[in-house]
Amino acid sequence: MHEPFRDPETPLLDRIADLSSRLTLEEKVGLLHQYQAPVERLGLGPFRTGTEALHGLAWLGPATVFPQAIGLASTWDPDLVRRVGEATGDEVLAFHHKDPTGVGRNVWAPVVNPLRDPRWGRNEEGYSEDPWLTGLLATAYASGLRGGEPHVLRTAPTLKHFLAYNNETDRCATSSNVPPRVLHEYELPAFRPAIEQGAAVAVMPSYNLVNGRPAHLSPLINEVLRGWAPDDLLVVSDAYAPANLVEAQAYHDTPAEAYAHAVKAGLDSFTQDDDRAEATLGHLREALRRGLLTEDDVDTAVRHALSIRFRLGEFDPATPYDDVTEEVVNCPEHQDLARRAARQSFVLLANDGLLPLGQVTRLAVIGQLGDTLMEDWYSGTLPYAVTARTGLAERCETVFCEGVDRVTLTADAGPVTADPAGGPLSLGSGPADTFDVFDWGGGAYALRAVATGRFVSVDDVTVVNDQPGPTGWEVRQTFRLEERPRGSLALRHLHTGCYVGAGDDGTLRLVDDADQALWLVMDVVRNGAEQAAELAATADAAVVVVGDHPLVNGRETEDRSTLALAPAQDAVVQAVHAANPRTVMVVSSGCPLTWTSAGPPAVLWSAHGGQEYGHALADVLFGDADPQGRLTQTWYRSAQELPDLLDYDIITADATYLYFRGTPRHPFGHGLSYTTFGYADLRVRLSGGELTAEVTVTNTGAREGVEVVQFYTHQQRSRVKQPLRRLRGFDRLRLAPGESGTARLTLPVSELAFWDVTRSRFVVESAPHRLMVGRSATDLRLSARFEVEGETIPPREGLLRAVDHDEYDAITFVDAARESGEAVRAEAEGAWILFRQVDLTGAASCRAVAGGAEGGMITLRLGDPLYGRPLATFPVPRTERYDLRTLAARLAGEPGVHDLYVVFENEGVTLTQLDLGAGA
């Protein structure tokens, strides 16, 4: 029997329609879960979404592990990032061919949330605080994952996490306040390129709410994202997020209502209850039975789901990727690529000439991270590990120590001892066992029993020593050291919040009551900083490898409370530097860090670099490669320079390099070279709606090097607050000593537009601009002024949407209705919003749509929220959440153009709009 859906020559939409027409409604519903049910009568096999592939294939066994995403981004090399995506896609295919049911080809990567705040626990998963750079690199990685065949996908990449998601703290219940300009100029641009260019074919909404509405129910999914996509876009939920709509977020009363709303809002695949789909499908059936969903709604979601399967070639007789086998996994080519990616990701933060290392006979390698490699939550299983110590030992004689304190722990009942077999810790009568103390910052410590070489953990409630280190989704190997009287301390288990106590038999176990916690005396047997200093003094140079642990004090579910390097690690750096002036500080972390020392003469940073980290480090330290990495985030001097973690309004908060007015420790785009570069002869031309710029860059040093030439613009006059600088492009030049090259920028003038809240569209203003070029966002070598002919934004008049204000105070954004629409709500008495340049000519009355649980009053004032002349007042009635009322008031005559303040005299008052139109 001829089945058109199996014919590759039939147009895609026709194939999908043919298959969909053969499915019963029950079979269609079965396709709306992560684990899509097979339809055996049609030869459809099972299909699952969601294979993790953020920087290599994850969770499925040994596979090539590349640097973390933030590390890949620091290469500023889209072609390299694309190649890493290709390698990852091939390894996904290899695992899929070996286990088609268990390993899906819908990959959940890349993460494109702009890195607004470095305290975000998932900072290492993203690319940059700049949305344009994020979009560029995400498109590159997704392009590699999807493959170069125009009609058949290698894998189906999924962008995460839509929208405005940069906090783990109460992530399922917090709402991100996103004003229109921040939405259109910062958040959405990071998602657009990969979708618009067809590199990403799916999107995952985020756990949080945005402006009061769960992101999984955002109207922007259908209205914006799908408008960008050249083909059908699959939308998959984050894990267990559908249940949040009823539970953590209490947005709907029943799952049937919530799931129906989600499907109508654009969700196609429910990632709920792992492979147990029946409850989810039952809620969808109930929604159909109650008329909350129609079969047409289901058909739309099914079309999106089937489109991905067709484009993956599932129903074709053959695909270009059928011959990919497990031989590609961790193959020599991928190992070389991992080394290159790690090498290019290193950023030289500081250097007084110590690097590259010259003739070194004996090198001290020191630090908690000196002889280990870390796997993060979305990392693959390392097939092998080239640590810093291993890589450097291939170059010269090395001596090593971790630089951690070795201690004993003693209670009144006796010393703490470790079971040699890795079992329980207990209070004994014999000699005390010793433990190495690892400081991971933020008050988080891990203890390793010297007798077993295993870390202290908790099994149920029993304290044991059987783990290789902090590990797992529930990290059970970290403790806080809480002070107690007479120089003693108590151990508090971070994961449970319980304390370490002792049972009647002396076995250490968790207790709920702090009063039952053991009081322990910690005696230092060996001081880690002193040991490190002694070792460093015996060497020609010292390399101290410090940083964070990807699963401790900052990870998914846990934001960072500080950016400070762990105090014990900081102390080791200072001690080593004092003992040996030729000290290199090597930082390995998934986020920017701060430290107290003025610093050793050379500082090198990278993200956790994957399996070839040690080789790459040696290549850079010994000068085989020029440091090519550049920062994609601002490195602040202190977390105190950051706004509140939940403040998503980067414009008002002066956040990110775009608006930050302080002097950072290291600016966005920073990265030194082993050579020097000169900039000259900046040429700028504006013609035919396009800005072109060229600059001559010369290697003025004695070594070959790579310069990342960065172009920024600043609009010098505007109706609104403009970024201090915005990255517009960059060019990578490899230059020999004395060689010159030309860096180029081509920029459509339309890219200079910003979101005009007065008319809800992008606008290019008539204004002077400055083009700046240099080595970072603050090291700008040359600049040129140019004039742009555009629009002049006219005064406002008529209808004013409350969310389209120009400035605000004590306001939060909320949903005006469950399905769509936004409003503002006063968070305090005297809260206000400002509409600049409102033309009141001819306006004799005004209508407002407002309400509040307790009612209240709204006052319109001219020029000032406290002392401005009152123009009108609106008594606001008590209303239900979405039952806002239309209110009318006469305006005190005041023709002309004015700044209009809307003042909320009472907390809790909600406003959606004002209408100053004639006859209002």
Side-chain angles (χ1 to χ4, degrees):
M1 180 178 68
H2 177 62
E3 296 176 313
F5 74 86
R6 295 192 180 278
D7 181 4
E9 301 302 319
T10 299
L12 175 61
L13 291 179
D14 292 343
R15 297 178 73 187
I16 297 171
D18 176 67
L19 177 54
S20 184
S21 70
R22 298 168 186 266
L23 297 170
T24 66
L25 178 57
E26 179 65 18
E27 289 167 342
K28 293 174 186 176
V29 170
L31 300 180
L32 302 189
H33 190 268
Q34 178 187 18
Y35 288 82
Q36 296 180 20
V39 183
E40 295 179 0
R41 67 182 184 85
L42 295 176
L44 270 68
F47 182 89
R48 61 158 291 185
T49 65
T51 294
E52 300 293 352
L54 186 60
H55 55 107
L57 176 65
W59 300 4
L60 296 172
T64 309
V65 178
F66 298 95
Q68 292 176 306
I70 187 68
L72 293 175
S74 70
T75 68
W76 289 59
D77 189 339
D79 183 65
L80 174 61
V81 173
R82 177 189 55 77
R83 290 182 58 197
V84 172
E86 289 177 345
T88 300
D90 276 344
E91 296 198 9
V92 170
L93 274 175
F95 274 78
H96 171 76
H97 289 156
K98 189 166 58 174
D99 181 9
T101 301
V103 181
R105 290 167 62 194
N106 167 235
V107 292
W108 287 356
V111 170
V112 295
N113 301 104
L115 302 180
R116 171 189 60 87
D117 193 312
R119 293 169 298 185
W120 183 31
R122 304 179 74 170
N123 189 84
E124 75 279 354
E125 296 182 34
Y127 292 123
S128 174
E129 69 185 29
D130 180 80
W132 176 83
L133 186 58
T134 294
L136 178 74
L137 296 172
T139 301
Y141 190 70
S143 294
L145 287 171
R146 83 171 301 285
E149 294 290 333
H151 303 299
V152 181
L153 303 173
R154 174 190 278 117
T155 66
T158 303
L159 299 186
K160 304 193 299 187
H161 312 82
F162 189 78
L163 176 73
Y165 169 46
N166 292 119
N167 64 278
E168 298 305 293
T169 305
D170 297 328
R171 63 179 181 175
C172 295
T174 56
S175 179
S176 304
N177 267 10
V178 183
R181 283 194 64 201
V182 176
L183 173 69
H184 291 280
E185 297 176 30
Y186 191 70
E187 293 288 347
L188 291 178
F191 287 83
R192 183 168 186 165
I195 296 174
E196 199 166 53
Q197 296 176 37
V201 297
V203 170
M204 175 189 289
S206 50
Y207 283 115
N208 54 290
L209 300 90
V210 179
N211 294 351
R213 182 179 293 108
H216 279 71
L217 305 180
S218 174
L220 297 172
I221 293 172
N222 284 330
E223 294 173 5
V224 175
L225 299 186
R226 288 200 159 107
W228 293 336
D231 297 298
D232 281 322
L233 187 75
L234 175 69
V235 178
V236 301
S237 84
D238 209 335
Y240 285 80
N244 290 338
L245 299 172
V246 176
E247 296 169 3
Q249 295 163 348
Y251 202 74
H252 282 285
D253 293 331
T254 68
E257 293 170 311
Y259 287 23
H261 188 173
V263 172
K264 288 176 175 291
L267 186 66
D268 309 307
S269 178
F270 288 77
T271 312
Q272 183 69 43
D273 301 327
D274 299 319
D275 59 352
R276 303 179 302 279
E278 189 52 38
T280 294
L281 303 185
H283 298 321
L284 292 170
R285 295 185 196 105
E286 174 68 8
L288 285 164
R289 187 189 67 78
R290 293 171 55 186
L292 302 172
L293 272 182
T294 67
E295 186 168 0
D296 285 346
D297 297 324
V298 173
D299 285 344
T300 299
V302 166
R303 188 183 79 237
H304 300 151
L306 289 178
S307 175
I308 297 300
R309 296 177 66 167
F310 273 100
R311 283 183 279 163
L312 285 168
E314 178 179 342
F315 306 110
D316 295 352
T319 79
Y321 305 112
D322 290 346
D323 295 332
V324 176
T325 69
E326 58 187 325
E327 292 180 0
V328 305
V329 178
N330 191 40
C331 64
E333 293 79 10
H334 291 181
Q335 294 174 13
D336 291 344
L337 184 62
R339 182 168 181 168
R340 179 185 167 189
R343 184 170 59 237
Q344 285 191 211
S345 74
F346 276 101
V347 180
L348 185 60
L349 297 178
N351 187 26
D352 74 351
L354 175 58
L355 295 180
L357 294 172
Q359 290 297 319
V360 174
T361 302
R362 180 182 170 95
L363 188 65
V365 181
I366 296 164
Q368 292 181 191
L369 290 162
D371 196 27
T372 186
L373 293 185
M374 300 294 186
E375 295 176 357
D376 61 50
W377 182 245
Y378 290 102
S379 171
T381 303
L382 289 162
Y384 61 86
V386 183
T387 68
R389 179 187 184 185
T390 303
L392 294 171
E394 295 177 4
R395 302 299 188 101
C396 64
E397 177 192 352
T398 59
V399 289
F400 172 74
C401 76
E402 290 172 309
V404 298
D405 288 346
R406 181 161 290 178
V407 304
T408 59
L409 297 168
T410 306
D412 289 342
V416 176
T417 61
D419 177 8
L425 271 59
S426 59
L427 300 178
S429 57
D433 279 333
T434 53
F435 298 87
D436 292 333
V437 181
F438 290 77
D439 182 1
W440 292 117
Y445 295 86
L447 303 172
R448 183 180 63 198
V450 174
T452 64
R454 310 295 282 180
F455 280 78
V456 176
S457 184
V458 173
D459 183 3
D460 192 15
V461 296
T462 304
V463 181
V464 297
N465 70 117
D466 64 351
Q467 294 298 311
T471 185
W473 178 253
E474 297 180 347
V475 177
R476 305 179 71 84
Q477 298 81 36
T478 53
F479 300 84
R480 194 176 305 282
L481 311 181
E482 294 190 356
E483 292 184 1
R484 291 294 186 267
R486 302 192 302 276
S488 63
L489 58 84
L491 290 178
R492 189 169 192 180
H493 189 232
L494 285 177
H495 175 66
T496 61
C498 296
Y499 290 87
V500 174
D504 293 339
D505 60 354
T507 299
L508 300 195
R509 55 191 298 112
L510 295 185
V511 295
D512 295 326
D513 190 348
D515 292 338
Q516 295 180 334
L518 273 178
W519 287 13
L520 299 166
V521 175
M522 178 181 285
D523 291 315
V524 178
V525 176
R526 186 191 66 202
N527 182 286
E530 292 177 0
Q531 181 198 24
E534 291 171 3
L535 190 70
T538 70
D540 300 318
V543 174
V544 188
V545 189
V546 297
D548 67 3
H549 193 300
L551 299 180
V552 179
N553 187 31
R555 49 159 290 170
E556 184 171 1
T557 72
E558 180 186 4
D559 292 312
R560 296 169 182 86
S561 60
T562 175
L563 299 179
L565 178 66
Q569 296 190 54
D570 203 341
V572 168
V573 174
Q574 295 184 53
V576 170
H577 184 211
N580 190 331
R582 289 172 54 80
T583 293
V584 182
M585 179 180 178
V586 175
V587 183
S588 181
S589 68
C591 68
L593 296 176
T594 63
W595 48 91
T596 60
S597 170
V603 182
L604 192 66
W605 171 81
S606 79
H608 294 280
Q611 63 197 51
E612 283 287 336
Y613 171 83
H615 285 149
L617 176 62
D619 290 343
V620 173
L621 288 181
F622 283 95
D624 297 351
D626 190 49
Q628 297 183 36
R630 301 294 186 266
L631 298 179
T632 62
Q633 279 184 281
T634 301
W635 282 46
Y636 298 93
R637 295 182 180 275
S638 167
Q640 294 178 343
E641 295 180 319
L642 293 164
D644 187 272
L645 179 66
L646 299 180
D647 189 347
Y648 280 75
D649 186 354
I650 65 165
I651 300 175
T652 299
D654 289 337
T656 77
Y657 85 97
L658 294 161
Y659 295 96
F660 182 60
R661 297 180 181 277
T663 302
R665 186 179 196 122
H666 297 296
F668 174 87
H670 174 69
L672 303 177
S673 169
Y674 288 153
T675 188
T676 56
F677 298 93
Y679 285 65
D681 192 21
L682 175 61
R683 291 92 68 191
V684 176
R685 189 167 71 95
L686 187 61
S687 176
E690 191 171 80
L691 175 73
T692 57
E694 294 183 344
V695 64
T696 300
V697 180
T698 302
N699 184 341
T700 56
R703 295 173 52 95
E704 181 182 82
V706 174
E707 179 69 324
V708 180
V709 183
Q710 301 164 39
F711 293 92
Y712 298 84
T713 65
H714 168 61
Q715 184 170 329
Q716 296 179 303
R717 186 180 66 244
S718 179
R719 180 190 179 278
V720 301
K721 181 178 179 179
Q722 290 286 349
L724 300 172
R725 80 287 285 174
R726 183 186 289 276
L727 181 69
R728 297 300 186 179
F730 63 91
D731 210 347
R732 294 171 52 86
L733 300 178
R734 179 178 293 276
L735 300 173
E739 183 183 5
S740 295
T742 301
R744 295 178 174 85
L745 170 72
T746 300
L747 182 72
V749 170
S750 59
E751 293 296 312
L752 299 173
F754 64 90
W755 187 258
D756 175 20
V757 293
T758 73
R759 294 173 291 178
S760 296
R761 65 174 175 85
F762 278 101
V763 61
V764 175
E765 279 185 306
S766 292
H769 293 249
R770 183 161 293 277
L771 176 73
M772 302 162 286
V773 61
R775 308 198 73 248
S776 76
T778 61
D779 185 2
L780 298 168
R781 303 297 179 86
L782 299 171
S783 68
R785 188 175 184 271
F786 62 96
E787 289 276 351
V788 170
E789 292 296 326
E791 299 182 55
T792 298
I793 298 174
R796 297 176 184 255
E797 58 184 9
L799 185 66
L800 306 178
R801 290 201 319 154
V803 295
D804 287 333
H805 53 260
D806 291 288
E807 295 180 27
Y808 63 94
D809 182 61
I811 285 294
T812 190
F813 290 77
V814 297
D815 52 336
R818 279 196 173 90
E819 290 74 23
S820 63
E822 293 178 342
V824 300
R825 185 179 65 214
E827 292 292 283
E829 293 181 4
W832 53 261
I833 56 177
L834 166 63
F835 295 98
R836 292 198 181 279
Q837 298 178 314
V838 178
D839 189 351
L840 297 175
T841 302
S845 61
C846 177
R847 286 190 178 135
V849 179
E854 299 299 325
M857 185 75 70
I858 294 175
T859 304
L860 306 186
R861 292 183 180 272
L862 300 181
D864 187 272
L866 291 176
Y867 306 110
R869 178 188 168 194
L871 191 63
T873 58
F874 295 90
V876 178
R878 293 183 176 183
T879 65
E880 297 296 325
R881 179 177 178 180
Y882 299 121
D883 184 26
L884 304 183
R885 308 293 173 78
T886 300
L887 314 173
R890 300 291 300 174
L891 297 178
E894 191 69 36
V897 177
H898 302 271
D899 288 348
L900 178 65
Y901 284 87
V902 181
V903 182
F904 300 81
E905 309 293 355
N906 305 86
E907 180 183 354
V909 172
T910 298
L911 175 71
T912 62
Q913 66 181 46
L914 293 174
D915 192 347
L916 302 169

